[in-house]
Amino acid sequence: MRGKHGRGAVRRAVALLAVGAAGLIGLPGSAAAWPLSAPGDINGDGYRDVVLPAPGATVAGERGAGAVVVLYGSSTGVSAKRRAVVTQNSTGVPGAAEADDRFGFSTALADLDRDGYTDLVVGTPGEDRGTARDAGMVSVLWGSASGLSAGVNLPTPVETGRGAGRDVAAFFGPSDVQVLIANYNEATRLTGPFTRSGGVGRSVRHDEAGWMGTVELGDLNGDDSADRVIVTGRAGGHSGGLVYVNSSLADFQRTRMAAGDGLTTAVGDVNGDGYGDLVVGDPDEPTAEGPTGHLGGAVHVWFGSARGVDHGAQPVTVHQDTAGVPGVGERHDRFGAAVAVADLDGDGVGDIVAGVPGEGLGDIGGAGSAVVVPGRRTGGLGRDAYAFHQGTAGVPGGSESGDFFGNTVGAGDVDGDGRPDLMIGAAGENDTQGAVWAIPGGTTRPLYSSGVMLTTAALGLPTQHDGTLLGGDMLW
């Protein structure tokens, strides 16, 4: 994005899983920029598909033009053989591939037009719009039986340097379809109906937060409608950004979560009460004067209810010094750099998946890992937590310094067996080309030995050393 750096494709691992045929724990929605989008059935074949962001990809000689890779689900999961690489030079995609556009910097999946096919919302924050440089653009590419088809731009402010598409989130419920779009200074909330000509039901501008970081949509009170989560960019005196739920100018201060900062988000039911809970990753080191945060990073949880989340409540905070969580909180571990929620052990309660991309393994600095914190109906979070990384038996590849395994995480059932599968990204793999691991779900834990490692070469992306896959701006 021509020298502007904020969060990046290291973002929130989506973590919102639609409750449906797969029987997964989570709430409709999705978010992108730091996480991987929750899988959705783009081609309507009954299997959910995975979208991998490659905003640093070179397209037709244009560095950083960006791409997204669609991996189509099947009874055997996902593989590099069943893929489609989409760029702004693809037929029907709005715009044209240009240097530093960063197409795919953020993604979200939802059936916006309610035709039974999941649609892809994709942010291009470096796009020039007329004379407005780096105004950014957000497009929706429509799902169909043949995969992603022609797309259209969604309405966003056209202003120089605003970077629309810095983050996007989407929600699909029985009577509510929404898209939430962040630029650097504000968010735009679009509500349905959405039409293939680009029409929307309503557009609302949210500029109360100012400096913008992350957006999220998820059901926190069980009414099947979207609750809106906005996280600002890093705020002075805090370990991350400020967290707001259902904010507006009229009640801006009241809607800020009184305790707990962060950068990444997910929504899922981690205490089994039937309500979505807000999970916020807080990977930055705490400041001396800051009220929250933990050495090496933390994850904060606010529990949902029939009234939503309690804005004045202290969150439940989990970190690597919490009893039962493997590892030790160390400077720049970045625990919580990405978060997702999925029921990995089949007990009907969502488990938290936290990326720890700065984790050192022995003398291998920044190798990275992922930590699973099982959800609990009773008792504190942390018990029976476990970690895995490229040094774990069965996980493909090998840990190297600066791999940053766990910089993105995502979850969803892509093989139709009713068990959520994991997608773990490592932006520093292969000398910063990036890679993604697809690991099938098991009865109680992921099946590491059945996982596949997807490199840029395997996915048909150009070989370059600037964060092609899961690229964009990184958190450290």
Side-chain angles (χ1 to χ4, degrees):
M1 284 188 296
R2 299 186 177 88
K4 302 183 187 71
H5 297 286
R7 302 177 21 173
V10 192
R11 181 176 163 225
R12 2 170 308 176
V14 133
L16 304 189
L17 306 178
V19 178
L24 302 180
I25 296 297
L27 286 301
S30 130
W34 287 345
L36 298 169
S37 303
D41 190 358
I42 292 171
N43 60 358
D45 65 353
Y47 297 100
R48 295 179 182 179
D49 310 311
V50 175
V51 173
L52 304 180
T58 294
V59 179
E62 301 287 346
R63 293 182 68 88
V68 294
V69 180
V70 180
L71 301 177
Y72 290 103
S74 71
S75 61
T76 56
V78 295
S79 78
K81 295 180 180 179
R82 294 184 301 276
R83 74 177 189 274
V85 178
V86 181
T87 74
Q88 285 186 289
N89 285 352
S90 299
T91 301
V93 176
E98 299 168 311
D100 297 322
D101 276 353
R102 299 291 179 180
F103 177 80
F105 190 84
S106 61
T107 60
L109 288 162
D111 183 3
L112 298 187
D113 59 356
R114 295 187 178 275
D115 66 350
Y117 298 98
T118 298
D119 309 307
L120 172 64
V121 181
V122 55
T124 312
E127 181 78 18
D128 295 340
R129 305 289 298 276
T131 59
R133 296 196 61 182
D134 296 336
M137 184 171 75
V138 175
S139 309
V140 54
L141 307 182
W142 304 106
S144 72
S146 58
L148 293 175
S149 61
V152 66
N153 288 335
L154 294 175
T156 59
V158 179
E159 300 174 77
T160 296
R162 288 299 180 94
R166 170 177 170 80
D167 195 14
V168 295
F171 180 95
F172 176 82
S175 59
D176 185 20
V177 182
Q178 293 192 34
V179 173
L180 191 58
I181 299 167
N183 65 24
Y184 282 95
N185 294 328
E186 63 195 33
T188 301
R189 175 164 51 102
L190 306 176
T191 57
F194 291 84
T195 69
R196 293 205 167 204
S197 62
V200 302
R202 188 181 180 210
S203 175
V204 179
R205 185 171 178 171
H206 291 276
D207 58 358
E208 57 267 18
W211 168 231
M212 282 294 306
T214 305
V215 291
E216 179 75 275
L217 293 170
D219 184 2
L220 298 171
N221 62 0
D223 66 354
D224 294 325
S225 296
D227 291 295
R228 183 177 63 261
V229 180
I230 291 176
V231 181
T232 71
R234 292 176 173 90
H238 298 264
S239 56
L242 308 181
V243 182
Y244 295 85
V245 177
N246 293 329
S247 64
S248 68
L249 279 175
D251 57 3
F252 182 52
Q253 293 302 324
R254 184 185 66 80
T255 58
R256 177 188 159 195
M257 305 309 292
D261 312 317
L263 296 172
T264 64
T265 56
V267 172
D269 183 6
V270 301
N271 64 353
D273 66 354
Y275 296 101
D277 306 312
L278 175 58
V279 178
V280 175
D282 189 7
D284 278 5
E285 298 301 320
T287 60
E289 71 274 22
T292 62
H294 185 82
L295 179 67
V299 171
H300 307 301
V301 181
W302 288 272
F303 296 110
S305 70
R307 299 178 302 279
V309 294
D310 183 348
H311 290 82
Q314 291 283 333
V316 172
T317 297
V318 182
H319 43 67
Q320 287 187 289
D321 292 316
T322 298
V325 177
V328 176
E330 299 171 306
R331 188 169 176 81
H332 301 313
D333 278 351
R334 306 205 62 79
F335 183 89
V339 289
V341 178
D343 182 9
L344 300 180
D345 54 12
D347 65 352
V349 182
D351 307 313
I352 299 171
V353 185
V356 196
E359 184 79 85
L361 302 176
D363 59 355
I364 307 175
S369 70
V371 172
V372 177
V373 180
R376 296 288 174 195
R377 296 182 188 275
T378 60
L381 294 173
R383 190 180 55 171
D384 297 328
Y386 57 93
F388 63 94
H389 43 74
Q390 289 189 74
T392 300
V395 176
S399 295
E400 299 172 306
S401 179
D403 277 352
F404 304 129
F405 183 90
N407 81 289
T408 64
V409 299
D413 181 8
V414 298
D415 56 12
D417 66 356
R419 300 167 181 165
D421 310 301
L422 290 179
M423 276 62 66
I424 308 294
E429 181 70 29
N430 292 338
D431 197 14
T432 72
Q433 292 179 47
V436 173
W437 284 254
I439 303 175
T443 303
T444 59
R445 288 195 180 192
L447 300 176
Y448 306 125
S449 61
S450 297
V452 295
M453 178 181 176
L454 303 164
T455 64
T456 54
L459 296 172
L461 294 171
T463 299
Q464 58 194 68
H465 304 287
D466 59 356
T468 298
L469 185 63
L470 306 173
D473 301 330
M474 300 192 33
L475 284 172
W476 44 84

